[in-house]
Each structure stands twice: as structure tokens, then as C-alpha cells.
Amino acid sequence: MTPDELARRAQGGDGEAMDRLLGELRPRVLRICQGVLPYSDDAEDACQEALISVAGKIGQWHGRGRFTTWLHVVALNSARSTYRRLKNQAVPSDVLPTERPDPRTTSVIAGTRLDLLEALETIEAEHPAFVQPLMLRDVYGLAYDEIAETLGVPLGTVKAQIHHGRRLARPLLREQV
């Protein structure tokens, strides 16, 4: 049974379908969260939160696009929420301002993800509509039409949001290099 079929059955109140759906989705959701969060424990937490959101918000999927595309948005939002929560919980004295990560022990990919998350947080403060389309396109590689369908906006709007989001992200990412 496809994820779309399981999701429709789960929307109808089928508990077995919901359990099976969540079990089958977990590896995919974890990969999405790991794509945003560099540390596995944080990604695991975000994955769990995303699956809880899927179970609680499954009625919000209206069947316009594939269920897995809607799932990407839910998982991405969960990972970004986890990042924000962790960032807000960090104590400034945890890291001395003169300390720089040792490139021999720090993953380049992890550092790049954190830089991107910081840039997206900055962009979101003034242009929140640019963030989801930009992440869905540039991090997860979804097609423009799939993003438009998922977000429920015209294709031209998605292209413009991604263009403007990239324009805003470039200088922020260059500053952090």
C-alpha cells in the first residue's frame, strides 16, 4: 500500500493504517531531519516531533499533492523548530567568543548546515515566505511545480520566492566563510 493510501485510511480513523504509515515514514523523516541538523540526537528528537505532528495534523493533508511531499514540509518545520529551540537554550558562556571549531574534528557538512540555518533564520525575520520554498528546492531538490503544489501557491510565486531567497542568502553565507 502506498503512503498516500495509508494516509487516506489514517485520516479516516484507521489506527492500524496510522501505525503502519508512521513506521514506514520514520526512516524518511529521520533522513530529512539529518539533512538539517548535524547531530544525530537532535535529528532523532526532530524526527519524533515530526511523526507526532504527522499523526496530529494528518487531516491538514488535503490530497492535492503526494503525501510524502507534504511530509517533507512537516519534517522540515520540525527540524527547524528543534534547531531554534536548541539555539535558544544555549548558554552564551558555553562557547567562548574567541574559540573557533577545529576543522579537523568538525564536519564540513555540519558546519555548512548550521551556517545555512543561521542564514535562513535571518531571512525569516523579514521575509518568512522565502524560507520554505528555498529549503524545499535547494536542500531537498524538489521540483518547482511540486513545491508550488505543496505550498498551495502559483508556480511563478514559488520561482520568485526562491530567487529572492537565494539573493538574500548569498551574502549571509559568504560572511560566515
Side-chain angles (χ1 to χ4, degrees), residues 7-81:
R8 282 189 190 88
R9 291 182 64 192
Q11 281 179 321
D14 184 336
E16 268 187 54
M18 177 63 79
D19 289 343
R20 184 171 163 200
L21 178 67
L22 294 175
E24 289 181 12
L25 293 177
R26 189 182 186 294
R28 180 186 297 236
V29 172
L30 183 58
R31 279 191 307 276
I32 293 167
C33 293
Q34 288 170 332
V36 176
L37 298 164
Y39 303 106
S40 61
D41 289 348
D42 299 339
E44 287 281 348
D45 289 347
C47 175
Q48 188 64 31
E49 288 178 27
L51 292 173
I52 291 169
S53 288
V54 166
K57 297 178 180 181
I58 197 158
Q60 293 179 7
W61 176 62
H62 301 294
R64 286 188 305 221
R66 291 188 327 230
F67 179 77
T68 52
T69 304
W70 178 82
L71 173 73
H72 260 84
V73 174
V74 173
L76 177 62
N77 287 340
S78 177
R80 292 185 61 233
S81 293

Side-chain angles (χ1 to χ4, degrees), residues 30 44 60 66 92 117 124 127 149 155 157-158 174-175:
L30 183 58
E44 287 281 348
Q60 293 179 7
R66 291 188 327 230
L117 287 171
E124 188 172 40
H127 305 284
E149 189 175 326
L155 180 61
T157 301
V158 166
R174 284 190 192 124
E175 288 173 12

Side-chain angles (χ1 to χ4, degrees), residues 68-165:
T68 52
T69 304
W70 178 82
L71 173 73
H72 260 84
V73 174
V74 173
L76 177 62
N77 287 340
S78 177
R80 292 185 61 233
S81 293
T82 299
Y83 171 74
R84 272 190 223 104
R85 181 176 35 82
L86 293 169
K87 181 179 167 185
N88 291 335
Q89 290 174 350
V91 178
S93 63
D94 288 348
V95 179
L96 298 174
T98 57
E99 288 183 9
R100 301 283 299 169
D102 183 344
R104 295 169 296 179
T105 59
T106 303
S107 164
V108 172
I109 294 170
T112 302
R113 279 188 249 157
L114 293 176
D115 291 347
L116 179 60
L117 287 171
E118 286 296 321
L120 291 173
E121 292 294 308
T122 301
I123 293 168
E124 188 172 40
E126 291 188 28
H127 305 284
F130 297 168
V131 175
Q132 271 192 335
L134 188 60
M135 286 289 288
L136 291 171
R137 178 68 185 155
D138 289 349
V139 176
Y140 293 104
L142 294 183
Y144 289 104
D145 58 340
E146 198 171 6
I147 297 167
E149 189 175 326
T150 299
L151 299 178
V153 296
L155 180 61
T157 301
V158 166
K159 289 180 178 181
Q161 289 171 333
I162 292 169
H163 170 77
H164 294 301

